[in-house]
């Protein structure tokens, strides 16, 4: 049974949330902001957008296992009703299925049973591409991330509570309400971003040239797999390459 992160003790919740604010997406976003301010050329923007998009996909993977628990939390508590209404708007506007969204994260592309994206990012004019980037780097997700980071910082500042107080909090199952609320806002902002991007078709590998040695290794791996050799899961491959899940 999957554990609900929203029922964690304060200390456990802090440890669980921390990696979310340190992901590639947020450092890449800062670089994109700087490039846009510098009026960088299309090539530089496309290179950084590839990193940004990979970071966005990584965040989606990291939220995937806990999505059901977080949605249930939003629906169960009246305090979170405004955020729950926003989720309902997302669900009403979505065109893709859950399987389709997972397939896109895995690089498979939209399922043929889902409506196909209408906008190819690679075909956008320079002006439209920059406008898209301006929209993305200004998304409320990044403000929400700063609020989560602030809650974590405040929690670290309060980490010198007496051991007896910490033990009593753990025994009572007390969680950090401010952090919980901030993270749920962060989660809803992600869902809104995901819904916005589903109308855009983007393959971060499109236009990249595969080196001959990489192509040779790819063909060798396929041949070994067809011959009954050992195969690897996506998680194993990502770990080996040092990539985000």
């Amino acid at each position: 049974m999957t554990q609900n992160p929203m029922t964690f003790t304060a200390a456990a919740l802090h440890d669980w949330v921390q990696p979310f604010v340190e992901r590639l997406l947020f450092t890449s976003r800062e670089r994109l902001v700087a490039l846009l301010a510098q009026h960088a050329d299309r090539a530089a923007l496309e290179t950084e957008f590839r990193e940004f998009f990979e970071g966005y996909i990584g965040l989606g993977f990291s939220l995937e296992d806990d999505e059901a628990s977080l949605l249930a939390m939003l629906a169960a508590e009246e305090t979170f009703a405004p955020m729950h209404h926003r989720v309902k708007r997302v669900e009403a506007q979505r065109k893709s299925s859950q399987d389709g969204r997972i397939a896109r994260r895995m690089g498979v592309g939209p399922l043929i049973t889902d409506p196909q994206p209408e906008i190819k990012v690679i075909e956008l004019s320079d002006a439209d591409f920059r406008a898209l980037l301006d929209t993305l780097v200004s998304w409320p997700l990044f403000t929400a991330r700063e609020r989560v980071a602030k809650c974590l910082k405040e929690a670290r500042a309060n980490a010198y509570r007496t051991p007896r107080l910490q033990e009593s909090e753990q025994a009572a199952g007390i969680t950090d309400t401010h952090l919980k609320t901030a993270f749920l806002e962060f989660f809803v902002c992600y869902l809104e971003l995901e819904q916005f991007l589903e109308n855009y078709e983007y393959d971060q590998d499109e236009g990249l040239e595969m080196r001959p040695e990489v192509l040779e290794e790819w063909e060798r791996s396929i041949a070994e797999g067809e011959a009954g050799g050992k195969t690897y899961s996506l998680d194993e491959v990502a770990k080996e390459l040092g990539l985000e899940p």
Side-chain angles (χ1 to χ4, degrees), residues 175-186:
T175 59
D176 188 321
T177 302
H178 294 299
L179 178 57
K180 180 192 297 185
T181 302
F183 186 79
L184 287 171
E185 170 69 22
F186 172 88

Side-chain angles (χ1 to χ4, degrees), residues 96-109:
S96 59
S97 63
Q98 183 177 17
D99 286 344
R101 293 190 294 277
I102 293 173
R104 288 189 70 177
R105 291 181 199 134
M106 295 177 68
V108 176

Side-chain angles (χ1 to χ4, degrees), residues 9-11 161-175:
T9 62
R161 292 166 299 182
T162 65
R164 178 173 294 182
L165 178 56
Q166 293 180 32
E167 289 174 4
S168 67
E169 288 180 347
Q170 291 173 358
I174 296 174
T175 59

Side-chain angles (χ1 to χ4, degrees), residues 14-224:
H14 299 158
D15 291 343
W16 181 78
V17 167
Q18 185 70 50
F20 287 98
V21 301
E22 297 174 345
R23 302 195 70 86
L24 168 66
L25 175 63
F26 304 109
T27 54
S28 180
R29 182 257 183 177
E30 294 306 309
R31 292 193 296 267
L32 262 184
V33 169
L35 287 171
L36 288 166
Q38 296 163 11
H39 303 288
D41 62 21
R42 174 76 177 246
L45 292 174
E46 285 182 342
T47 297
E48 191 55 51
F49 179 64
R50 188 176 295 114
E51 294 290 317
F52 178 94
F53 195 82
E54 288 180 359
Y56 156 73
I57 293 297
L59 178 60
F61 273 124
S62 68
L63 287 168
E64 198 168 274
D65 289 342
D66 299 298
E67 183 170 322
S69 295
L70 297 173
L71 290 173
M73 185 71 183
L74 288 167
E77 293 196 22
E78 186 62 29
T79 305
F80 304 132
M83 285 189 278
H84 182 55
H85 292 323
R86 287 164 57 191
V87 171
K88 287 299 182 183
R89 285 199 297 271
V90 167
E91 293 173 344
Q93 294 170 10
R94 271 177 179 162
K95 301 174 184 178
S96 59
S97 63
Q98 183 177 17
D99 286 344
R101 293 190 294 277
I102 293 173
R104 288 189 70 177
R105 291 181 199 134
M106 295 177 68
V108 176
L111 299 180
I112 59 173
T113 52
D114 280 356
Q116 301 302 295
E118 298 176 1
I119 304 170
K120 289 180 68 73
V121 172
I122 199 169
E123 294 178 356
L124 291 174
S125 68
D126 288 352
D128 287 343
F129 182 61
R130 289 175 186 273
L132 172 62
L133 297 187
D134 279 329
T135 297
L136 293 177
V137 300
S138 303
W139 203 264
L141 174 72
F142 300 104
T143 302
R145 182 258 183 187
E146 292 305 313
R147 285 197 289 269
V148 173
K150 181 180 179 182
C151 287
L152 290 169
K153 183 177 180 179
E154 291 173 349
R156 286 193 295 271
N158 294 328
Y160 296 103
R161 292 166 299 182
T162 65
R164 178 173 294 182
L165 178 56
Q166 293 180 32
E167 289 174 4
S168 67
E169 288 180 347
Q170 291 173 358
I174 296 174
T175 59
D176 188 321
T177 302
H178 294 299
L179 178 57
K180 180 192 297 185
T181 302
F183 186 79
L184 287 171
E185 170 69 22
F186 172 88
F187 170 64
V188 173
C189 288
Y190 167 78
L191 294 180
E192 292 169 336
L193 176 60
E194 182 182 54
Q195 190 274 319
F196 171 78
L197 283 174
E198 73 174 0
N199 202 35
Y200 288 85
E201 180 182 339
Y202 178 67
D203 179 358
Q204 57 265 48
D205 296 327
E206 189 170 358
L208 293 180
E209 188 174 329
M210 185 174 284
R211 299 192 306 273
E213 63 270 23
V214 175
L215 182 58
E216 182 180 345
E217 177 65 19
W218 177 267
E219 292 173 344
R220 184 183 65 78
S221 297
I222 292 175
E224 288 180 354

